Amino acid sequence: MDSISSAIASNLLFPATKPLYDHSTTSLSFSPVIHTLKSKKLSRTSVLTRVSAEIKSASPIDFSDPDWKIKYEKDFEQRFHLPHLTDVYADAMSYPSTFCLRMRTPVNEDFADGYPSDEKWHGYINNNDRVLLKVIRYSSPTSAGAECIDPNCTWVEQWVHRAGPREKIYYKPENVKAAIVTCGGLCPGLNDVIRQIVITLEIYGVKNIVGIPFGYRGFGKELAEMPLSRKVVQNVHLSGGSLLGVSRGGPNVSEIVDSMEERGINMLFVLGGNGTHAGANAIHDECRKRQLKVAVVGVPKTIDNDILLMDKTFGFDTAVEEAQRAINSAYIEAHSAYRGIGIVKLMGRSSGFIAMQASLASGQIDVCLIPEVPFHLHGPHGVLRHLKYLLETKGSAVVCVAEGAGQNFLEKTNAKDASGNIVFGDIGVHIQQETKKYFKDIGDPADVKYIDPTYMIRACRANASDGILCTVLGQNAVHGAFAGYSGITVGICNTHYVYLPIPEVISYPKVLDPNSRMWHRCLTSTGQPDFV
């Protein structure tokens, strides 16, 4: 995290001189942040380093220009323009929407009487509807969590597109073959999103819906697509995992689009994180290059909640809730033992959102360690010295650590997973071993227990909050595709559902701001000092 410390410290949001996403992709061997170039893989660390360099080299805004604010707003509007079929096909035909909740009978199979619609129904979203991206007006760059464009923290309105059904659609439902693919690792809520995409497609009148098995690998010839219908997906949300299976990596972009052409797929819904979305955007670009009338829409899936501009991603609330069980077990073990210490490792490669929120929710954590905040284990201000203090004053202690925290203490390896991620060392086991050694060396007893619930959390069913989020995201993904948008993803901003161009949300991972009010609240709850 040292590579972005300067960006966090200043927290001024100057526009980059060039996009951080490279549109010249030819491969789908992704890192979790940005897709790789032909045979080169970028790890999270390398991308974050690149982001830091971009921020440092970005041309500053000329604030002496009286029109700088107007120019910034125009630039923002251009960057957040949603790619649409009419950008490529100026004469693309639109049709009255087949989605109308006043229509209670199934859409006629042959559409003999045209496409049923009720223009008097006020359930459609106007294409000019917008949602305000930032709602806090900071008065100073030194305010907690301030995000300022200029040193005076000038208020600049930033509007993004509201999600939902449009009155006009650009695909005839009887001509649509829609495909759904789930990539990356497991996450609570995958089945909920799949189910709702299928249900909404059928309401539009789509009869041909398939699932691509095991992520992008399913576009290869060795795996057969899975027919989907409401009957098939009716109860899939009652269990965790993915009906379609997941995997990392896969064929290159050209091969995937070849496969889509052969199968006749003209709507593709991609569920995944930053790397998966980079792949979706590459597929979108290739389809445009070939002049294919295909809609590619993403649904952001990351349990770490590390996708830019969004309030949260699905699976995060469930992860925080399930983490409570592990934390409570660690607390009971520590509290019941003589001088007990419980250590819990939670997910979070580059961001500590799960660890922070779980610590806040439980009220049982004494020390929360995250990737964004450096710390020392040893020394007069280290974590181990604080644990000694806690045992002396309260008799027990509970530590929560994110998987990406403290990687500087571990031996570096060149090992990478199928997505190009650097394989991290186990910081939880390291802290457990160092804690045991520390107390043994000073001659004080300590009963150390370690819990790692990672895969149990990933595989569980979505809770009520995530279930609602998944349902609405799935519905809006279908609305966006029928509205003619492609190369977009759907998310929630300030409690409202929006469409965002994929390049803007995959530029780099969202990280926790150590000066944010939420992190300050966590520190207040744990009572921990600075470990530096």
Side-chain angles (χ1 to χ4, degrees):
M1 288 299 107
D2 292 342
S3 61
I4 58 170
S5 59
S6 59
I8 292 175
S10 63
N11 227 4
L12 298 181
L13 303 180
F14 296 106
T17 55
K18 58 182 178 178
L20 299 178
Y21 178 84
D22 187 335
H23 295 273
S24 61
T25 180
T26 56
S27 171
L28 277 180
S29 299
F30 308 114
S31 76
V33 180
I34 196 168
H35 67 85
T36 62
L37 301 179
K38 192 154 189 176
S39 61
K40 180 180 179 182
K41 296 182 178 180
L42 299 177
S43 67
R44 283 178 183 257
T45 303
S46 64
V47 172
L48 290 175
T49 303
R50 179 180 173 187
V51 169
S52 178
E54 290 285 353
I55 292 172
K56 290 177 181 177
S57 64
S59 299
I61 300 173
D62 181 8
F63 295 116
S64 64
D65 182 351
D67 295 326
W68 76 263
K69 182 177 176 181
I70 295 174
K71 292 178 180 178
Y72 181 90
E73 289 176 329
K74 287 182 177 179
D75 176 69
F76 181 89
E77 185 176 350
Q78 183 179 12
R79 283 166 43 216
F80 282 80
H81 166 78
L82 300 181
H84 194 271
L85 287 178
T86 54
D87 297 339
V88 179
Y89 305 97
D91 57 348
M93 288 188 62
S94 63
Y95 314 92
S97 178
T98 54
F99 181 87
C100 179
L101 299 181
R102 284 188 173 181
M103 183 181 61
R104 297 306 184 198
T105 57
V107 175
N108 192 319
E109 288 187 8
D110 56 5
F111 298 94
D113 300 321
Y115 294 89
S117 179
D118 187 345
E119 295 183 1
K120 295 180 181 179
W121 181 57
H122 298 299
Y124 298 115
I125 300 298
N126 190 291
N127 283 333
N128 293 321
D129 284 0
R130 297 291 186 269
V131 172
L132 196 59
L133 186 62
K134 306 292 183 183
V135 295
I136 299 179
R137 183 168 185 166
Y138 297 101
S139 61
S140 168
T142 60
S143 295
E147 297 177 353
C148 300
I149 296 170
D150 70 325
N152 296 321
C153 253
T154 301
W155 170 253
V156 179
E157 293 181 349
Q158 298 173 318
W159 298 96
V160 293
H161 294 254
R162 185 184 178 197
R166 267 57 174 175
E167 192 173 328
K168 299 294 183 181
I169 59 177
Y170 286 81
Y171 290 88
K172 292 183 177 181
E174 71 269 30
N175 295 335
V176 168
K177 181 176 181 181
I180 307 170
V181 61
T182 56
C183 306
L186 287 179
C187 177
L190 281 170
N191 284 333
D192 300 65
V193 178
I194 293 170
R195 177 178 183 271
Q196 203 58 223
I197 289 175
V198 171
I199 289 173
T200 310
L201 283 168
E202 288 196 350
I203 291 175
Y204 270 95
V206 178
K207 304 296 183 183
N208 197 355
I209 311 169
V210 298
I212 305 299
F214 302 108
Y216 288 126
R217 292 181 186 276
F219 284 103
K221 295 181 179 180
E222 68 275 10
L223 296 170
E225 61 192 28
M226 178 189 300
L228 298 176
S229 65
R230 182 164 191 149
K231 184 177 180 180
V232 173
V233 303
Q234 184 63 44
N235 296 314
V236 295
H237 64 300
L238 301 180
S239 60
S242 169
L243 171 70
L244 305 177
V246 295
S247 74
R248 302 183 186 277
N252 64 41
V253 174
S254 181
E255 291 171 343
I256 288 178
V257 178
D258 287 343
S259 177
M260 291 173 62
E261 282 195 87
E262 291 172 7
R263 301 173 191 229
I265 294 170
N266 53 7
M267 276 191 190
L268 178 63
F269 300 96
V270 183
L271 284 58
N274 280 304
T276 300
H277 271 67
N281 200 60
I283 293 170
H284 158 77
D285 287 341
E286 181 67 16
C287 288
R288 285 206 157 190
K289 180 181 176 182
R290 300 189 189 188
Q291 297 284 297
L292 301 177
K293 188 181 177 183
V294 176
V296 182
V297 179
V299 182
K301 174 230 69 172
T302 167
I303 208 166
D304 292 347
N305 197 36
D306 62 351
I307 293 185
L308 291 172
L309 306 176
M310 300 180 186
D311 294 355
K312 62 181 177 181
T313 51
F314 75 83
F316 176 70
D317 274 355
T318 304
V320 171
E321 183 175 308
E322 288 298 314
Q324 305 305 297
R325 305 177 192 274
I327 290 173
N328 188 53
S329 296
Y331 172 79
I332 292 173
E333 287 283 355
H335 192 67
S336 301
Y338 175 64
R339 293 172 62 87
I341 298 175
I343 300 171
V344 179
K345 186 186 77 172
L346 298 176
M347 288 157 290
R349 287 183 59 88
S350 60
S351 57
F353 291 106
I354 292 180
M356 176 185 70
Q357 297 278 37
S359 297
L360 268 169
S362 71
Q364 297 172 319
I365 295 296
D366 298 293
V367 175
C368 178
L369 304 174
I370 60 174
E372 296 88 341
V373 179
F375 61 91
H376 294 303
L377 281 177
H378 298 276
H381 303 293
V383 173
L384 298 176
R385 183 68 174 266
H386 185 60
L387 290 179
K388 179 175 181 292
Y389 167 78
L390 291 172
L391 293 186
E392 292 171 350
T393 55
K394 56 180 291 192
S396 63
V398 183
V399 179
C400 176
V401 57
E403 63 179 312
Q407 289 299 307
N408 54 303
F409 300 127
L410 306 175
E411 184 179 350
K412 299 289 188 299
T413 69
N414 293 321
K416 296 181 180 180
D417 65 17
S419 294
N421 308 326
I422 294 176
V423 177
F424 281 175
D426 196 325
I427 185 62
V429 170
H430 180 76
I431 292 177
Q432 176 197 30
Q433 294 172 344
E434 289 297 304
T435 302
K436 288 181 176 180
K437 183 175 182 297
Y438 172 79
F439 283 100
K440 181 179 179 181
D441 290 346
I442 64 174
D444 286 348
D447 191 348
V448 183
K449 302 293 172 59
Y450 174 59
I451 297 175
D452 180 355
T454 300
Y455 290 102
M456 295 175 65
I457 291 175
R458 290 191 348 162
C460 67
R461 173 188 173 186
N463 66 8
S465 175
D466 271 328
I468 295 170
L469 178 60
C470 291
T471 295
V472 182
L473 290 176
Q475 291 177 359
N476 281 322
V478 176
H479 295 321
F482 266 102
Y485 297 119
S486 180
I488 67 166
T489 191
V490 58
I492 183 169
C493 294
N494 295 316
T495 73
H496 295 283
Y497 292 88
V498 301
Y499 295 133
L500 300 165
I502 290 177
E504 290 299 326
V505 301
I506 63 171
S507 299
Y508 52 93
K510 179 174 72 174
V511 293
L512 196 157
D513 180 1
N515 192 45
S516 67
R517 285 293 299 127
M518 193 59 75
W519 178 244
H520 293 172
R521 293 173 186 128
C522 184
L523 295 178
T524 302
S525 174
T526 63
Q528 70 191 64
D530 293 333
F531 298 117
V532 291

